[in-house]
Amino acid sequence: AQSVSQHNHHVILSEAASLELGCNYSYGGTVNLFWYVQYPGQHLQLLLKYFSGDPLVKGIKGFEAEFIKSKFSFNLRKPSVQWSDTAEYFCAVNPGGSYIPTFGRGTSLIVHP
Amino acid sequence: NAGVTQTPKFQVLKTGQSMTLQCAQDMNHNSMYWYRQDPGMGLRLIYYSASEGTTDKGEVPNGYNVSRLNKREFSLRLESAAPSQTSVYFCASRRLAGDNPGELFFGEGSRLTVL
């Protein structure tokens, strides 16, 4: 069965620090990749997605992610975090042709002002 | 444009009681999903419905049943609630965009406590 690993479970940063959250998956075929964000007390919403084409994907609020097929990775980055980025971040992988995305366990990000 | 609407938002049950979580989407999406979210466990799929008239088990279906009432509505039923079902439940929907599955749109969640 496919799996999605988010190695950083808890990340604490100060404002203006750079962020990189790791996501690795174990499926060898075509995949669709997503990062979702869940702000405190809210539902999940899409941050960015990759289907095909340019492996560097830009999302909302200055986030970007890079798909590296050879490493089965889809890491999330932001050059300078803000206090308002405090949230939980979920990576999700959907094998091509499947209805079912698999989610990682999430990374809790706390940004201190 | 409401998106995905879940009711109730909060519920407290006693062990053995039954209840139904309701979910409706107004985006004409084909697929609908029920997830539960527990601390440190991420999101785990309970049931999904790829299209109207079909339902399938996900990763953690035991103790739950679902009904895809029509294209808009997908309900989750706990027949005999157990404390292990204390969780936050999210309904989600998704359209199909050609060959790509598209992203999920989530409801605001239903927080269930079973005593």
Side-chain angles (χ1 to χ4, degrees):
Chain A
Q2 63 170 346
S3 64
V4 179
S5 298
Q6 292 183 240
H7 304 294
N8 316 100
H9 299 298
H10 300 280
V11 175
I12 301 174
L13 296 173
S14 298
E15 274 193 321
S18 63
L19 171 72
E20 180 160 3
L21 301 181
C23 174
N24 288 89
Y25 61 93
S26 64
Y27 184 75
T30 302
V31 291
N32 304 119
L33 302 162
F34 307 84
W35 276 97
Y36 291 87
V37 60
Q38 185 179 29
Y39 297 106
Q42 296 188 24
H43 62 284
L44 279 79
Q45 54 189 287
L46 183 71
L47 201 54
L48 50 76
K49 61 188 177 186
Y50 172 80
F51 288 164
S52 62
D54 189 343
L56 186 61
V57 179
K58 294 193 183 299
I60 61 171
K61 301 187 180 184
F63 285 91
E64 65 179 29
E66 184 176 14
F67 171 49
I68 303 179
K69 189 174 181 179
S70 61
K71 294 185 178 180
F72 300 92
S73 70
F74 189 55
N75 293 353
L76 181 71
R77 299 195 294 249
K78 185 171 184 178
S80 177
V81 294
Q82 300 174 315
W83 174 78
S84 58
D85 293 325
T86 293
E88 192 147 12
Y89 293 81
F90 293 92
C91 179
V93 177
N94 201 121
S98 170
Y99 289 100
I100 307 173
T102 298
F103 282 81
R105 291 194 171 189
T107 297
S108 173
L109 171 66
I110 296 174
V111 180
H112 289 300
Chain B
N1 212 5
V4 179
T5 304
Q6 290 180 234
T7 56
K9 288 185 170 43
F10 300 94
Q11 184 72 49
V12 179
L13 292 176
K14 294 181 180 178
T15 297
Q17 288 185 317
S18 62
M19 77 158 299
T20 299
L21 299 177
Q22 306 286 355
C23 176
Q25 53 91 9
D26 62 2
M27 296 174 283
N28 201 35
H29 285 173
N30 299 311
S31 302
M32 297 185 74
Y33 305 78
W34 276 106
Y35 287 91
R36 58 178 291 174
Q37 184 180 28
D38 302 290
M41 301 295 288
L43 286 166
R44 292 183 292 170
L45 182 64
I46 305 170
Y47 270 93
Y48 70 101
S49 172
S51 60
E52 184 180 357
T54 68
T55 61
D56 284 287
K57 295 178 180 179
E59 181 185 355
V60 288
N62 291 344
Y64 305 95
N65 284 302
V66 290
S67 295
R68 183 76 184 266
L69 304 171
N70 47 55
K71 192 170 186 179
R72 290 186 64 248
E73 299 173 287
F74 188 40
S75 62
L76 178 71
R77 183 162 178 83
L78 286 70
E79 292 290 352
S80 179
S84 61
Q85 294 178 303
T86 294
S87 187
V88 180
Y89 292 85
F90 286 98
C91 178
S93 70
R94 181 163 73 176
R95 68 181 178 90
L96 293 175
D99 292 332
N100 294 318
E103 69 265 31
L104 292 171
F105 291 80
F106 286 87
E108 294 193 355
S110 299
R111 185 175 294 274
L112 175 65
T113 301
V114 183
L115 303 175

